[in-house]
Amino acid sequence: MSDFFEQSIPIFTMLEATLDVNAYVAVPADWVVIVTDIKNSTLAIQEGRYRDVNAVGGSTIAALTNALKPLAAPFVFGGDGATFCVPPTALPQIKKALRGCQELARDGLKLELRVGLVPVSDLTKKVLVCRYARTVNMTQYFFMGGA
């Protein structure tokens, strides 16, 4: 079942392996790409609000990770947001969790957290992902494909 796609991604323990295009696997077409971003984050950082921006961006990872349990999904952190690939069956709880992040950003920190969702099947290019684990307690994902 595609809900468990993340478990099927090969784990590489040598960083160099992530440079090989053959190390990447395609995200299932029924999955969804979610992108979060703080509007005007550059201005907020110039105003000295780097920690606020980073906290809101990181909160999306915590919220989504918790909403997905017991499933897992690949993601990358961008400082003022993150990009995730998630199974469609988890969208109701993910949307609820991300709405909470938006409310926290707006009400608590006066920042606007934007959230976009795009089905992988709507993209014109493949989304490719690989997994790197330097230690058993730390996994990172790398994306490729131009989507």
Side-chain angles (χ1 to χ4, degrees), residues 64-137:
L64 194 135
T65 301
N66 287 330
L68 271 172
K69 286 181 180 176
L71 300 175
F75 66 88
V76 292
F77 180 55
D80 68 340
T83 300
F84 311 88
C85 291
V86 301
T89 56
L91 283 178
Q93 61 264 37
I94 289 170
K95 287 178 181 179
K96 182 179 178 183
L98 291 176
R99 275 193 297 275
C101 291
Q102 287 177 305
E103 291 170 8
L104 170 74
R106 181 189 65 235
D107 300 341
L109 297 169
K110 307 299 183 230
L111 294 170
E112 182 182 343
L113 177 65
R114 300 180 288 192
V115 177
L117 293 86
V118 180
V120 171
S121 61
D122 286 359
L123 299 171
T124 58
K125 295 185 180 183
K126 289 183 178 181
V127 178
L128 304 171
V129 63
C130 78
R131 196 164 43 157
Y132 167 67
R134 174 147 169 89
T135 70
V136 294
N137 296 320

